[in-house]
Every structure is written in structure tokens, then in C-alpha cells.
Amino acid sequence: MQIQKNDGKIVLTDVKNFKAKDILECGQIFRFTKNDDGHYTVFSTDKRADVYENDGSAEIVTDNVEYFCNFFDLDRDYSVFQNKYKSYDFLMKAYDHGKGIRILNQDLAEMIFSFIISSNNNIKRIQLIINRICNAIGNDMGTYRAFPTIKQMASRDESFFKEMGAGYRAAYLSKTARALADGFDLEGLKKCDTQTARKKLLTLTGVGPKVADCILLFGLRKSDSFPVDTWIEKVYHTYFETGLKSREDIAKYLVGLFGEDAGLAQQYLFYYQRENF
């Protein structure tokens, strides 16, 4: 894939492993819209990008070119995955279905709050709750609202998040926002190994094992993470069955199988299973 950076635009040509639908609808992000003309708009923190695609090319229009080059992980060659795992027929089916997927480099605090909201929830409702919170307390960026800062989130109590539709998660959001504002070391997490970071994330209210694994993968770029939910349980029992029962054990097994590629394998398999079954 060829990448050209211009003023206010990133131009991609000879595109093989980049497709907005695959990237944005595979479960790793919630702040995006598909517009009437088919192009996607994606938001991260206080930033915005519009993604336009044609056959074999794409344009990412944004005032934050370097940010979105990193956000979309454009420097990574995703085609090597196919060569490494071509002996896995079912995995290659998943890869072919979602080969436009790229693992996004997202803001850590935004991921923590977003995936707390995602717990036992559906995507439309997750998006609705997040949008309400952004519209209520996020900075006004002119044509959209930013995701609230930690300070802005911590300034609101449980009742506010209940008004936003978060339900029982309102208490989790309130307590975790205060913990982050009171000195929980987010920057330190980035320096930890995966298991140490996971243990620290699990001390946050509302962060269970699956949510922690999502935060590790999408917020900390720990690629040896394998979030396990209902869809991945079905994948495991269909293609990998070894008698394991708990999600924790299934995750450990699949991380052991795929190593540093675990997170990417998870996204291909999750997206394929959800879209087709």
C-alpha cells in the first residue's frame, strides 16, 4: 500500500488491507458514522476524519494527518498474516472476509470508558450512550463534540450517567472516572507487560476480564490479547475445541496459539463469526 501525506489529506493507493467498513464495524470502535453517500466519518478524542474509498484507493480527509496515520496503523504490513497462517483454512476464510481490518491505535482513557459502556450491551445502544455523553459534556469542536476528558467525566456523578442511559454501568463510569482523575497511572500502563497491565486494569470498577482484554488490545496495543465473548466462544468450540470451559482458559489457549498475532486473529475471527453466523 502506498501512502501519501498531503495538507489535510492522506491518500492511499494500491490498497489491499484497508477497508473502512471492516475497520470500523468489527467491534473495536464506537464513535463513527456511515454517511448517506457511503463514506465513513470517524472520531477519536477531539479529532475527526472522513474516509472516502474507490476501487484500489482511499482518501482520509482530516486536519490531523499524523494522528490518523498512527490511528489507522498505516505503517504496518497486514498481508504477512496471510502467509503465516495459510495452513488454517477456517482462519483464512475469516481473513478473506475481513482482510480490510486494521487494529486502531486509540486513546486509552476513551477506550476504558467506552468498553465499560459496552459490557453486556449492543452496538447501537453503546453508540447512543457515548454520543449522549459527548454531546452533554464534551468540548464543542464546531460540527461535533469531543469525547470528554478524564476531568470532565470525573466532574459528573452516577446520576448523570444514568440520565445518559448507562444503567447499572453508571456507577462504574463514575467510580472509574474518579479513580483516573485521582492518580491511576495510565501512562505507566503503557510501560507494563501485558499481564501486569491487565492486573492493574482489573482494579478499575466495571473492568472485568473481557473488557480488560479489549482495552489492552485497542487502547494499549497489546497484540498478545484475545478478548473472548459469546462469538469467540463459538469460534473456539467450532474450530479449536480442546475441552476448555472458561473464557479465561480459552483466551490463554488462543494467545498461546497465536502469540503476538493473537489480537489480529481475534478480530478476523470475531468479525467473520458475527457477520456470517
Side-chain angles (χ1 to χ4, degrees):
M1 183 166 66
Q2 303 299 313
I3 305 167
Q4 182 181 351
K5 302 175 187 178
N6 299 323
D7 185 22
K9 184 186 299 185
I10 306 163
V11 179
L12 308 178
T13 53
D14 193 25
V15 172
K16 292 183 176 65
N17 293 99
F18 182 100
K19 186 176 180 181
K21 180 184 185 300
D22 294 347
I23 295 167
L24 301 176
E25 297 189 18
C26 69
Q28 62 178 318
I29 188 172
F30 306 109
R31 290 181 66 218
F32 69 88
T33 58
K34 185 176 182 181
N35 300 285
D36 291 340
D37 64 358
H39 91 272
Y40 285 81
T41 303
V42 58
F43 305 91
S44 177
T45 64
D46 59 353
K47 299 171 180 63
R48 165 185 172 155
D50 289 276
V51 184
Y52 300 86
E53 295 170 293
N54 294 303
D55 290 339
S57 66
E59 289 186 352
I60 303 169
V61 179
T62 178
D63 293 330
N64 300 278
V65 167
E66 292 300 330
Y67 181 88
F68 280 102
C69 276
N70 177 65
F71 180 83
F72 282 111
D73 200 27
L74 296 182
D75 290 333
R76 182 178 178 185
D77 181 6
Y78 281 68
S79 66
V80 298
F81 184 91
Q82 183 179 23
N83 295 328
K84 288 178 70 174
Y85 298 102
K86 58 186 177 184
S87 63
Y88 291 82
D89 290 342
F90 54 91
L91 184 53
M92 286 302 96
K93 289 181 181 178
Y95 171 82
D96 287 339
H97 175 78
K99 61 186 174 183
I101 290 174
R102 305 184 81 82
I103 303 295
L104 299 173
N105 289 309
Q106 300 187 67
D107 178 75
L108 178 54
E110 183 171 342
M111 287 299 91
I112 290 172
F113 293 125
S114 295
F115 277 93
I116 287 174
I117 292 168
S118 77
S119 180
N120 297 312
N121 215 341
N122 63 69
I123 289 178
K124 287 187 177 180
R125 190 161 181 265
I126 297 164
Q127 290 179 317
L128 184 62
I129 295 166
I130 291 174
N131 286 338
R132 284 173 179 162
I133 293 171
C134 291
N135 289 334
I137 61 174
N139 291 335
D140 186 353
M141 306 306 297
T143 57
Y144 63 97
R145 291 275 180 167
F147 194 91
T149 64
I150 292 172
K151 184 177 180 180
Q152 287 169 327
M153 291 289 283
S155 71
R156 301 305 174 108
D157 60 14
E158 180 180 342
S159 63
F160 166 79
F161 294 111
K162 282 189 176 179
E163 289 175 6
M164 297 296 104
Y168 69 87
R169 306 166 197 84
Y172 302 163
L173 291 170
S174 177
K175 290 178 182 178
T176 290
R178 288 199 299 271
L180 298 184
D182 289 343
F184 184 92
D185 189 8
L186 284 181
E187 288 303 311
L189 285 181
K190 299 175 183 179
K191 302 172 185 177
C192 294
D193 62 75
T194 302
Q195 289 308 310
T196 302
R198 191 174 193 266
K199 288 178 183 178
K200 292 183 177 182
L201 283 169
L202 288 170
T203 66
L204 294 172
T205 305
V207 177
K210 189 257 184 176
V211 168
D213 287 338
C214 288
I215 296 166
L216 287 168
L217 182 57
F218 307 131
L220 283 166
R221 197 49 190 259
K222 302 292 188 183
S223 57
D224 56 339
S225 300
F226 207 109
V228 176
D229 65 352
T230 300
W231 293 109
I232 292 298
E233 282 184 315
K234 292 177 181 178
V235 167
Y236 166 77
H237 290 301
T238 302
Y239 300 114
F240 299 96
E241 183 63 67
T242 61
L244 301 175
K245 301 297 182 183
S246 76
R247 290 184 176 184
E248 288 269 323
D249 288 340
I250 291 170
K252 289 177 183 177
Y253 172 77
L254 293 171
V255 168
L257 193 62
F258 293 109
E260 288 296 321
D261 299 314
L264 186 54
Q266 191 271 354
Q267 283 292 273
Y268 291 136
L269 292 166
F270 170 82
Y271 187 52
Y272 178 73
Q273 189 75 12
R274 191 187 68 183
E275 292 271 301
N276 290 284
F277 301 100

